[in-house]
Amino acid sequence: MQSIYQSTSLLLLAFGATADAFSTTSNAPSSTDVTQVGSLTVPTIGCGTIAWDGQSPELVDLVSTASTNQNGVFLDTGERYGSHAKTALGMGWGETECLVAKLLKDNDAVENHPSKAVVATKFTPSPWRTTVESVVEACEESRKRLGVESIDLYQIQMPDIVKPLRAFGFDKSYDKVYWDGLAECYNRGLVHNVGVSNYGPTLVTECSEHLAKRGVPLASNQIAYSLIGRHNGAQQTLDTCNELGVKVLAYYPFAMGLLTGKYTSAMPELSAEHALTSSLTKSRRSKFEQKDLERYAKGDGKSIPAGGVAPLLSTMERIANDRDKTVAQVALNYIICKGAVPIPGARTAAQYVDNMGALGWRLTEAEVSEMENVADNLGFSFDGAGFKRSNAKFVGYGMETWSLT
């Protein structure tokens, strides 16, 4: 832990920050709080695009606002991302990649200069993709949709788990084939950096060693990670990646909203538990997600003790108030303090700016330890809600799972 805090301090000082960067109360994006992901220098907080769609005009303002940061914006997308029903059914891939490219291009035209945007995208393992060339072809398609000569960061979205004919004995793994595909993309100059997603300690180590033999560094591993999502192998994975020099990109940093200020109250007479329950009743999530999130919020007396996440929210609110920050910013800063880059989603400029308010300062080790102790004593760990899981994906014919342990 101490080494991460020391390296963070040195990084900030190297870019001209002072000790005040750790106590500032500004919500403006810090121009000095950056990190390395492979050869890329990016803001220490990214922006997820999985919820973006072409029917959201507020995205124009988001991209415009993000482009004002002198270090640019770090966008994470994927070939599989899209809002249309056909994409959900496995068709029409690339919708969000095209949208990201259009938004950046339109913003460049308005601002009259290129956006300082780093864009990461993902390759999706599929039963029909069984060769090195299939990875290269997919990369080429993503490159064209994004309108770039070389992709900044090209990631494998998950281990090779999609096996619709597993019951008939057709369950051969093509993970190593995909790694060779990443290496081929890198060596052809189609990508600047390569990464993986949802790999546990063993698989990420094997992948890193495999790529190294091809002269290719593994830049990143994207996993679900949050204050209440550390006990399913995520913490061990983060520790291993830190040792390997592989940067962890953390999705679900808010545990699907459970760790944000919108589920707490500025009214002191209203408890965090009641405020959370009230907020969830107004949520637009699916009924399946709603049911699971309500269990986390209130507890069910079975797998989740009564009170749910409320004790942790109370602690986070107090720390946030002491620092003049939001609860969401505390949740993000915690992940940064652990050596990872959180990738929260944002659909509006206001959400993006609030997320960036977690930059330019750091929680103390005592604050990190206190929140972890409270989280550990909750008696449960967050693993997703509804069909959105931290260790599984709905793949048309059912749910396929992986493990970080």
Side-chain angles (χ1 to χ4, degrees):
M1 171 73 74
Q2 183 66 34
S3 62
I4 293 176
Y5 277 90
Q6 289 174 339
S7 62
T8 300
S9 301
L10 290 173
L11 179 60
L12 285 170
L13 291 173
F15 282 89
T18 67
D20 292 337
F22 293 88
S23 59
T24 180
T25 58
S26 172
N27 284 349
S30 169
S31 61
T32 57
D33 202 342
V34 296
T35 193
Q36 291 297 128
V37 180
S39 67
L40 305 168
T41 300
V42 299
T44 313
I45 295 176
C47 181
T49 66
I50 195 168
W52 286 17
D53 66 72
Q55 307 304 312
S56 303
E58 60 268 22
L59 291 176
V60 174
D61 290 335
L62 187 160
V63 172
S64 176
T65 299
S67 68
T68 62
N69 182 11
Q70 72 178 61
N71 290 309
V73 57
F74 181 26
L75 299 174
D76 179 70
T77 189
E79 65 172 358
R80 188 67 176 77
Y81 290 8
S83 60
H84 295 162
K86 62 181 181 181
T87 304
L89 295 173
M91 302 176 286
W93 291 15
E95 177 192 344
T96 305
E97 288 179 325
C98 291
L99 176 61
V100 168
K102 182 180 186 305
L103 287 167
L104 291 174
K105 182 178 179 180
D106 290 350
N107 186 70
D108 291 351
V110 172
E111 300 293 336
N112 200 30
H113 61 77
S115 299
K116 293 182 179 179
V118 170
V119 180
T121 192
K122 303 180 191 73
F123 164 88
T124 304
S126 305
W128 62 88
R129 290 174 164 173
T130 60
T131 65
V132 168
E133 197 58 32
S134 65
V135 180
V136 174
E137 291 172 357
C139 179
E140 286 278 18
E141 290 302 313
S142 287
R143 186 183 63 79
K144 293 175 184 176
R145 286 190 291 263
L146 290 171
V148 295
E149 290 298 318
S150 184
I151 296 171
D152 294 319
L153 175 62
Y154 194 54
Q155 310 157 94
I156 297 175
Q157 186 164 353
M158 58 189 173
D160 184 27
I161 58 171
V162 183
K163 306 294 178 183
L165 300 179
R166 181 180 285 112
F168 302 97
F170 296 95
D171 61 352
K172 179 181 177 180
S173 171
Y174 290 94
D175 286 318
K176 290 185 178 180
V177 173
Y178 296 152
W179 302 344
D180 286 334
L182 287 183
E184 188 65 21
C185 291
Y186 181 88
N187 289 326
R188 291 190 190 185
L190 300 177
V191 303
H192 292 301
N193 297 271
V194 299
V196 293
S197 304
N198 301 305
Y199 277 29
T202 300
L203 201 56
V204 74
T205 299
E206 291 178 359
C207 179
S208 180
E209 293 174 350
H210 187 92
L211 289 172
K213 294 176 182 178
R214 299 283 302 272
V216 179
L218 180 63
S220 64
N221 182 21
Q222 188 166 159
I223 62 172
Y225 186 86
S226 70
L227 253 172
I228 57 175
R230 297 175 289 117
H231 304 291
N232 54 2
Q235 187 60 57
Q236 296 94 316
T237 300
L238 176 59
D239 292 341
T240 297
C241 287
N242 284 338
E243 292 171 3
L244 292 171
V246 175
K247 182 60 69 173
V248 165
L249 310 181
Y251 68 89
Y252 288 165
F254 298 137
M256 293 180 68
L258 289 167
L259 301 181
T260 64
K262 68 180 181 179
Y263 288 164
T264 61
S265 174
M267 300 172 60
E269 68 273 15
L270 187 62
S271 72
E273 179 182 357
H274 290 160
L276 173 58
T277 302
S278 175
S279 180
L280 283 173
T281 60
K282 302 174 184 178
S283 174
R284 296 181 178 180
R285 294 189 179 277
S286 72
K287 291 182 179 179
F288 294 110
E289 293 171 15
Q290 189 86 1
K291 182 179 180 180
D292 283 343
L293 290 173
E294 287 177 355
R295 285 194 308 110
Y296 286 119
K298 297 182 294 185
D300 57 11
K302 299 175 183 177
S303 60
I304 300 177
V309 75
L312 177 59
L313 289 177
S314 296
T315 300
M316 295 175 69
E317 281 183 299
R318 174 173 51 77
I319 293 173
N321 290 335
D322 288 346
R323 287 183 164 273
D324 195 21
K325 296 293 179 181
T326 66
V327 172
Q329 289 165 359
V330 169
L332 295 177
N333 198 271
Y334 167 80
I335 293 173
I336 295 172
C337 287
K338 300 297 284 188
V341 176
I343 310 290
R347 288 171 56 94
T348 68
Q351 289 173 348
Y352 180 81
V353 170
D354 189 73
N355 290 343
M356 295 302 110
L359 295 176
W361 58 280
R362 294 293 184 271
L363 294 160
T364 65
E365 292 186 62
E367 289 170 328
V368 167
S369 179
E370 180 184 8
M371 289 191 296
E372 288 183 335
N373 288 336
V374 175
D376 291 344
N377 287 323
L378 290 176
F380 67 90
S381 179
F382 177 79
D383 62 1
F387 288 124
K388 297 177 181 178
R389 318 302 300 186
S390 61
N391 62 345
K393 184 171 290 293
F394 181 72
V395 292
Y397 59 86
M399 297 289 287
E400 288 283 12
T401 64
W402 59 81
S403 173
L404 294 182
T405 57

